[in-house]
Amino acid sequence: MIKKIVLLVLLPVLVTVAYLFGSDDNFLGVYALSLMVGGLFMTFVTQKPLWSVLSIAISMHWVEMSGMSASFFMFAPFAAMLFFYVTSQNYVRIDYKWLLIGVWTLCYTALVYAVKPYPINNEFFYMNLVSFFVFMVSACIRWDSKSVHTFLSAYLVFAVGWSMVERLVSSELRIVGPTMSSTNFAVLLVVAWTMWFINGFLVQKTRMLHLVLMTFLVFISILFSGTRMGLLGLMGGLMLAVLSKYVVLLRDQMVRLMVRVAIAFVGVAILVVVVWNMLPDDLFLKQGLSTLLRGDMDPSSLGRIGAWLTAIDCIQNNPVWGIGPGNFLEKNKEFLEMASFLPKVEQLPRLGHAHNLFLKTWSEQGFVGIVGLGFVVINCVGCMVGYLRKHCDGFVLAMFSGLIVTLCLGMIDVFPLFPSSLGWGAWLMSVMFSMRDNKEARA
């Protein structure tokens, strides 16, 4: 044990020296590597593999940053080390479903490389495969209400802390968070908060002061990000929390349940109006929402429309295989050069993805990709639904609520398929898939 601790302490020091000898810009890679080493160290000390999963998911926020250097290629080895640890500690539950999904995905990847229907961006395929590997490793862990709550609590503290520090040191109107995207950060934050809040409220019996305080901090972070979708997700999360509470209490009294949900909806609407009027008029987020309420289209909204139209054009021209992950930006540039019918088209941002989960998958990976990814997602959701039908406790309702918020906001964004949130999305899917053994509740 002492040798392991010494090795885990010396390794980041030695790698840091090697990295910084190469370039001062490699600091972000050092930070990511230190996080992963720290997560592995916490896993050995506490015998809780969630810390390694968390550290890898956070480190993957910076996959597209140039400062990552060699750390970009360290995700797979660290995931492999976690897999060996999990299997050695008898956490693993490798069953036929786990093996089937693994073989299915590897066969799909091999098929793409064999056919080469589009210019293959190896970097994006590597990111996707690493995320899938993280998913497979994390799915071997028996996630329960307590471990998920610990994971989400640690992540929310990290994300909120990051947003506060960034607001203090940045002069930009909108913070981008650790995911390097304002929109993606806000959506990730609100999905994590939704699951954390409902699970903490219904199962973990978290103190009301802590629930309110974290909700307030998440709200402030969303305001800093200037993301309208974040506020919509926060309101949706509150409604789902109320609904989940009454689903647990009134499973056999659906009429009474619907009445109370309607009352709660009115209450939340009144609260939103009050908070809206309290916000300063010069706040970026309020200006953006006001623009939409007046019926005007700001560059951000028009940019999304341009991305959707580009995706539809890609689907029409490449319905079977798509254009390939990482190739959307060039297609968007080409399409907008010809889209003279869009107002102020020359001022619209050129976007690297379709800002819609379904359109992104079909335009980039075609119908074949939809089948490949859909098979995995359907299996994960199916495992969660099977658990829900058998137990219907606060834990599964929290996870189900997180999925609903993800899919709803995914109609105008691509979380968790955005590169910097792939690791986090892999964890989310793995928790659902781990519910395939639903013989007993995990509250």
Side-chain angles (χ1 to χ4, degrees), residues 361-402:
T361 304
W362 197 347
S363 64
E364 294 186 3
Q365 302 190 49
F367 181 75
V368 176
I370 287 181
V371 173
L373 180 61
F375 179 80
V376 178
V377 173
I378 289 173
N379 268 279
C380 294
V381 175
C383 292
M384 183 175 63
V385 170
Y387 182 97
L388 177 64
R389 292 175 60 185
K390 191 167 185 178
H391 301 290
C392 194
D393 55 27
F395 170 54
V396 71
L397 290 174
M399 300 305 301
F400 199 78
S401 297

Side-chain angles (χ1 to χ4, degrees), residues 51-127:
W51 296 115
S52 286
V53 178
L54 176 62
S55 67
I56 294 173
I58 292 176
S59 298
M60 289 186 70
H61 284 335
W62 308 300
V63 288
E64 294 187 287
M65 302 297 291
S66 59
M68 286 296 288
S69 187
S71 290
F72 179 74
F73 300 101
M74 293 301 292
F75 297 124
F78 271 91
M81 285 188 280
L82 176 60
F83 180 73
F84 292 137
Y85 172 81
V86 169
T87 54
S88 67
Q89 298 296 317
N90 296 321
Y91 289 107
V92 69
R93 296 183 298 104
I94 296 180
D95 54 10
Y96 77 94
K97 287 186 178 180
W98 190 91
L99 291 171
L100 177 61
I101 284 183
V103 171
W104 175 275
T105 304
L106 291 177
C107 287
Y108 164 72
T109 305
L111 178 64
V112 171
Y113 270 89
V115 177
K116 295 182 179 178
Y118 43 69
I120 294 180
N121 190 318
N122 290 312
E123 180 180 341
F124 275 80
F125 267 88
Y126 173 76
M127 287 189 290

Side-chain angles (χ1 to χ4, degrees), residues 184 229 353-357 360 409-419 421:
N184 190 66
M229 292 167 54
H353 56 81
H355 279 273
N356 178 286
L357 284 173
K360 172 182 169 62
L409 297 184
M411 294 299 99
I412 46 180
D413 193 60
V414 294
F415 172 83
L417 297 183
F418 193 73
S421 57

Side-chain angles (χ1 to χ4, degrees), residues 148 152 195 198-199 384 394-404 427-428 431-432 435:
V148 166
L152 292 173
M195 296 184 294
I198 296 175
N199 187 44
M384 183 175 63
F395 170 54
V396 71
L397 290 174
M399 300 305 301
F400 199 78
S401 297
L403 178 64
I404 291 174
W427 170 79
L428 180 60
V431 176
M432 297 178 187
M435 295 180 182

Side-chain angles (χ1 to χ4, degrees), residues 309-341:
L309 293 174
T310 302
I312 293 172
D313 182 67
C314 293
I315 291 170
Q316 290 176 340
N317 294 320
N318 306 274
V320 178
W321 290 100
I323 61 173
N327 298 326
F328 187 85
L329 179 59
E330 292 302 318
K331 294 292 183 180
N332 186 234
K333 291 178 180 178
E334 293 173 7
F335 181 83
L336 292 181
E337 289 298 323
M338 301 181 295
S340 57
F341 57 89

